[in-house]
C-alpha cells in the first residue's frame, strides 16, 4: 500500500475540520513514542488514519507517580489509539496491531482499537458519543488523506439517554439469555457449550456496561481486556473474578479461552468443578451489571461519561 507519512506530526491540515495534529502539550518523550507508533502503523496495509484520543489527547493523563497508593484508585493512562482502515479488518488484525506497537520500553501502554472508515462515519452520523468525542478531542497522528471523517450530529441529553437505555436493554437481555443457555447446557451435560455460554454472558455484560457509560462497544472478545475496561465503572472484574491464586486465575483463563477453544479445539477440556466455580460469579456479574447500569441511567440528565 502506498502511504503518505506526514512530514511532521505537528503540521496543520485543512482536512478533518478542526482535528488537531500537534502534540506540543506532551513531553518530548511522549511525542517521540507516539511518532514511532504512527510510523509503524502507517506502514501496515490498509491503514488510512491513526488518531490519538483519550487522556493523552486531552492533556489530563496520569502516570504511576500521579496515582495514590490505593489499588482501587485507577491505573496509569494508556496511549488510546484509533486505527482507521480502508476495509473491515480481518480476524486477527487488531491483535497484530497490539503486538506491533506495545513495546515494553514505552512509557505508557498502547491501547489500540481498529475500525473501518465506513463504520466510523456511520457512527459519527448517528451522533455516537464515543466517536463524537474523538472527532472533537483527538489528535491526528497519521493520515493518507484519501478519506474524510463525517460531520457528527450532536445528540441532546435525552437522545444520549435513550441510546444508552436501548443499548442496555439489548446487551443485558443478551447476557441473561446466554446465562439461561448455560443452565440448559449444564443440565444437558454439555460442558463445553456450557462454558462457552458463560463466556458470552460475561462478554455481553461487560459490553453493556461500556455502552451505557461510554457509548462504545469494542470489536473485542478478550474478557481480560474488556473486563479491565468495564472495571472503570464498577466492581465487575477482579472483585468477582479474583486472580489472588493461580487456581482462581486459571478458572477465569479457561472461560476466556472458551470463545475459541470450546467450539474448535478438540483438546479443550472442561470439568464440572470449573463450571461450579465460574457460574455463580457470572451470575453475580449480571446482578452488578444491572445495578450499576440502571443507577447510571437514572442519574439526572442521563448523559454518558466522556471516554
Amino acid at each position: 500500500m502506498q502511504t503518505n507519512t506526514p512530514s511532521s506530526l505537528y503540521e496543520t491540515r485543512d482536512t478533518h475540520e478542526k482535528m488537531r495534529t500537534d502534540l506540543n502539550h506532551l513531553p518530548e518523550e511522549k511525542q517521540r513514542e507516539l511518532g514511532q507508533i504512527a510510523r509503524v502503523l502507517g506502514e501496515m496495509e490498509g491503514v488510512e488514519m491513526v488518531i490519538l484520543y483519550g487522556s493523552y489527547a486531552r492533556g489530563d493523563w496520569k502516570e504511576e507517580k500521579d496515582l495514590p497508593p490505593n489499588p482501587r484508585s485507577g491505573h496509569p493512562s494508556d496511549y488510546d489509539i484509533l486505527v482507521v482502515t480502508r476495509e473491515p479488518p480481518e480476524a486477527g488484525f487488531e491483535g497484530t496491531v497490539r503486538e506491533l506497537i506495545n513495546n515494553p520500553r514505552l512509557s505508557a501502554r498502547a491501547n489500540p482499537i481498529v475500525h473501518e472508515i465506513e463504520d466510523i462515519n456511520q457512527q459519527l452520523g448517528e451522533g455516537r458519543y464515543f466517536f463524537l468525542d474523538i472527532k472533537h478531542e483527538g489528535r491526528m497522528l497519521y493520515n493518507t488523506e484519501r478519506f474524510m471523517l463525517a460531520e457528527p450530529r450532536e445528540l441532546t441529553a435525552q437522545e444520549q439517554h435513550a441510546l444508552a437505555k436501548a443499548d442496555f436493554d439489548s446487551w443485558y437481555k443478551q447476557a441473561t439469555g446466554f446465562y439461561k443457555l448455560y443452565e440448559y447446557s449444564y443440565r444437558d451435560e454439555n460442558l463445553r457449550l456450557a462454558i462457552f455460554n458463560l463466556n458470552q454472558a460475561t462478554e455481553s455484560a461487560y459490553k453493556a456496561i461500556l455502552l451505557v457509560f461510554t457509548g462504545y462497544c469494542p470489536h473485542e472478545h478478550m474478557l481480560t481486556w474488556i473486563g479491565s475496561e468495564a472495571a472503570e465503572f464498577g466492581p465487575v472484574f477482579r472483585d468477582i473474578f479474583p486472580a489472588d491464586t493461580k487456581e482462581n486465575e486459571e478458572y477465569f483463563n479457561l472461560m476466556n479461552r472458551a470463545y475459541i477453544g470450546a467450539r474448535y479445539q478438540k483438546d479443550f477440556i472442561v470439568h464440572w468443578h470449573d463450571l461450579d466455580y465460574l457460574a455463580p460469579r457470572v451470575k453475580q456479574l449480571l446482578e452488578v451489571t444491572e445495578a450499576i447500569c440502571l443507577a447510571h441511567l437514572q442519574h439526572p440528565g442521563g448523559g454518558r461519561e466522556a471516554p
Side-chain angles (χ1 to χ4, degrees), residues 132-144:
L132 181 72
D133 192 73
I134 291 178
K135 182 77 185 288
H136 286 166
E137 299 179 348
R139 309 281 176 135
M140 184 72 71
L141 302 181
Y142 170 82
N143 180 13
T144 67

Side-chain angles (χ1 to χ4, degrees), residues 87-146:
E87 304 288 344
E90 295 181 355
F93 184 83
E94 187 163 314
T96 301
V97 168
R98 289 182 185 277
E99 291 176 5
L100 281 175
I101 66 176
N102 262 306
N103 186 323
R105 292 192 294 272
L106 292 176
S107 63
R109 183 177 71 109
N111 181 27
I113 58 173
V114 180
H115 285 267
E116 64 165 316
I117 184 67
E118 183 177 349
D119 177 34
I120 292 173
N121 281 341
Q122 179 179 339
Q123 298 204 52
L124 278 171
E126 293 172 354
R128 284 281 180 173
Y129 190 89
F130 179 81
F131 290 100
L132 181 72
D133 192 73
I134 291 178
K135 182 77 185 288
H136 286 166
E137 299 179 348
R139 309 281 176 135
M140 184 72 71
L141 302 181
Y142 170 82
N143 180 13
T144 67
E145 299 188 351
R146 282 191 282 261

Side-chain angles (χ1 to χ4, degrees), residues 36 48 50 53 81 212 238 264:
Q36 292 168 1
E48 297 292 336
V50 178
Y53 69 96
I81 306 290
V212 167
R238 290 309 183 194
Y264 305 119

Side-chain angles (χ1 to χ4, degrees), residues 216-231:
Y216 174 68
C217 179
H219 296 329
E220 176 65 62
H221 302 290
M222 187 179 295
L223 298 183
T224 304
W225 186 77
I226 57 176
S228 64
E229 294 291 310

Side-chain angles (χ1 to χ4, degrees), residues 53 111 113 128-130 163-164 167-168 171-172 202-234 236 285 289 292-293 296-297 303-307:
Y53 69 96
N111 181 27
I113 58 173
R128 284 281 180 173
Y129 190 89
F130 179 81
L163 197 58
D167 285 335
F168 171 74
W171 282 88
Y172 187 71
T202 301
E203 178 183 332
S204 298
Y206 285 149
K207 290 186 174 180
I209 294 168
L210 293 174
L211 279 163
V212 167
F213 283 87
T214 74
Y216 174 68
C217 179
H219 296 329
E220 176 65 62
H221 302 290
M222 187 179 295
L223 298 183
T224 304
W225 186 77
I226 57 176
S228 64
E229 294 291 310
E232 292 292 315
F233 309 105
V236 295
L285 170 63
T289 297
I292 64 174
C293 287
H296 185 72
L297 290 169
R304 303 190 182 199
E305 302 291 338

